[in-house]
Amino acid sequence: MRAHTLPATLAFLCMAWLPAVAVAQTAPTGYIPTLEAVTVSGEQPGPGLWRARRDGHTLLILGSLVPLPGKMTWKTGEIDDALAHSGALIMPPHVEIKPNTGFFGRLALLPSLIGVRKAPDGATLKETVPPDVYARWLAVKARYIGNDRGVERYRPIFAVLELYKSAVKKAGLGKSGDITRSVADLARKHGVRQVPVEYTLLVDDPRAAIKSFKHSTLDDVSCFTQSVDNIDAQLADMTRRANAWATGDIAALRDERSAKQRITCMNAVTEGGVAQRIGLADVPKAVRERWLAAVNATLATDAQAVAIVSIDDLLGKDGYLEALRSRGYTVESPDEAD
C-alpha cells in the first residue's frame, strides 16, 4: 500500500483480508477441529470459465480466489485459448483511497499515518477485549504468531489481520497474484489489450479523517471474538475452497458460508463514523458499476473478451453474475458448460 493512499489501513481492511476474517456463527468454546491437509499440489486445472452472452458477444470470466494452495501449478490451456480468440482482457477491479490534495499535501500526511493501527490512548488488547476472549487470543496467538509483543497494542481488527496472515502462511496457502500475472502475460503474448477497471475515492480532508480514525472506537470486538474462536474452522474452510478452486469444484466454491464470513468485520470498518463520512461504505457498489460499464464498453467493440473477477464478487444474489443477468446476459457456469 503506497504511503499517500488514505487511510491506507481502511483500504487494506476492506479490499484485502476481510473476506476471510469473520464467520457468522461462533464455534463452541474449546472447539479445535482437525485442519484439512493441503493435499492439492502440482498441476491443476482451476475452476474453468463462466460465459456471459448477449447479442452475439461473449464474456469469458475467470473467478480468482485468495488464498490458493501454495504448491499448485495452474494449467493455463483454457484461458490461453480464450485469450487467443479475444480482443480484450478486463483486469480485476482496482480501488485506491487518496487524499484530494497535491503532492506536498500528501507528504504532509505521512506523520499522521504513523501509529494508525494502534488502539486509541495506548490501550492494549488485554484492556480492550473481555478477559475470557483475551485468554483465548493468547492461545491462538502462541500457535500462529508467536511471541510478538507489538501486536498487543493493535486495535482488535488489526490484531486479527496479523493472526490470519500468519495462520494462512502456516497452512501452506498463498496469494493469488500469480494467477493474474499469468493471465496478463498470456494476453501480452497474444497481443490482447488490457482494460483496467479503476476506482478512486478522493478524501477532501484526509488529515481530519486520520485524526478522527485514530481517536475513534470501532465496533470490532465482536469481529475479534468470532475470529479468535473460529480461526481453525476458518482455515479449514479456506483450505477446502482453495482446493476446490484448484480442482475446478464449482459446487464447493458456491458455498455461501464464505460470503457470510465478511459481514461482522466489514461492518466494523464501514459502519464507523469516519468510514461513513468519507464514503467507504459506498465503494463496493460503485466498483461493481464501474466493472459493468467496462464490460459493456468492451463488448461493444469486441465479439469476445476475457475478465478476471474475485469468486466472492462473482457469486451470490448481489454478485457480478446476477448483475449481468439483470442486464440481459445469459450466464453459463463452467460446470454447466461441461
Side-chain angles (χ1 to χ4, degrees), residues 98-113:
K98 289 185 177 181
N100 192 11
T101 183
F103 174 75
F104 291 104
R106 294 175 187 176
L107 285 181
L109 287 174
L110 295 182
S112 301
L113 290 170

Side-chain angles (χ1 to χ4, degrees), residues 72-239:
M72 177 197 72
T73 302
W74 177 42
K75 292 181 181 178
T76 59
E78 184 179 8
I79 193 74
D80 189 17
D81 181 69
L83 287 166
H85 297 87
S86 297
L89 168 64
I90 301 175
M91 300 299 288
H94 174 72
V95 177
E96 279 194 298
I97 303 177
K98 289 185 177 181
N100 192 11
T101 183
F103 174 75
F104 291 104
R106 294 175 187 176
L107 285 181
L109 287 174
L110 295 182
S112 301
L113 290 170
I114 296 174
V116 76
R117 290 185 299 179
K118 294 183 178 180
D121 302 320
T124 64
L125 284 173
K126 186 175 182 179
E127 297 167 334
T128 306
V129 304
D132 58 326
V133 175
Y134 183 72
R136 298 196 295 276
W137 154 259
L138 289 178
V140 296
K141 176 192 172 188
R143 195 154 71 246
Y144 294 115
I145 297 179
N147 187 25
D148 182 350
R149 295 183 179 180
V151 74
E152 291 293 322
R153 293 197 173 274
Y154 284 5
R155 291 173 181 264
I157 201 165
F158 287 105
V160 163
L161 293 177
E162 292 300 316
L163 175 66
Y164 271 85
K165 286 191 289 184
S166 297
V168 163
K169 185 176 181 181
K170 287 195 174 184
L173 300 170
K175 298 180 180 180
S176 64
D178 289 341
I179 300 299
T180 300
R181 282 192 293 270
S182 296
V183 176
D185 288 343
L186 291 173
R188 282 189 286 271
K189 181 185 76 171
H190 293 294
V192 174
R193 77 181 189 280
Q194 297 181 28
V195 179
V197 180
E198 299 177 342
Y199 180 83
T200 300
L201 177 64
L202 293 176
V203 181
D204 289 329
D205 193 352
R207 187 182 297 276
I210 294 174
K211 184 177 179 180
S212 179
F213 179 79
K214 281 186 175 182
H215 293 90
S216 66
T217 58
L218 297 176
D219 185 20
D220 56 355
V221 174
S222 177
C223 163
F224 182 86
T225 302
Q226 291 186 15
S227 299
V228 166
D229 288 344
N230 291 276
I231 177 68
D232 294 292
Q234 289 176 45
L235 274 178
D237 186 64
M238 282 189 281
T239 300

Side-chain angles (χ1 to χ4, degrees), residues 40-50 60-65 68-83 89 175-187 242-250 253 306-309 334:
V40 172
S41 61
E43 197 172 40
Q44 299 294 332
L49 303 175
W50 276 262
L60 303 174
I61 308 170
L62 173 66
S64 61
L65 183 69
L68 290 175
K71 297 182 180 180
M72 177 197 72
T73 302
W74 177 42
K75 292 181 181 178
T76 59
E78 184 179 8
I79 193 74
D80 189 17
D81 181 69
L83 287 166
L89 168 64
K175 298 180 180 180
S176 64
D178 289 341
I179 300 299
T180 300
R181 282 192 293 270
S182 296
V183 176
D185 288 343
L186 291 173
N243 288 340
W245 189 97
T247 59
D249 186 347
I250 303 301
L253 289 173
V306 175
I308 311 173
V309 180

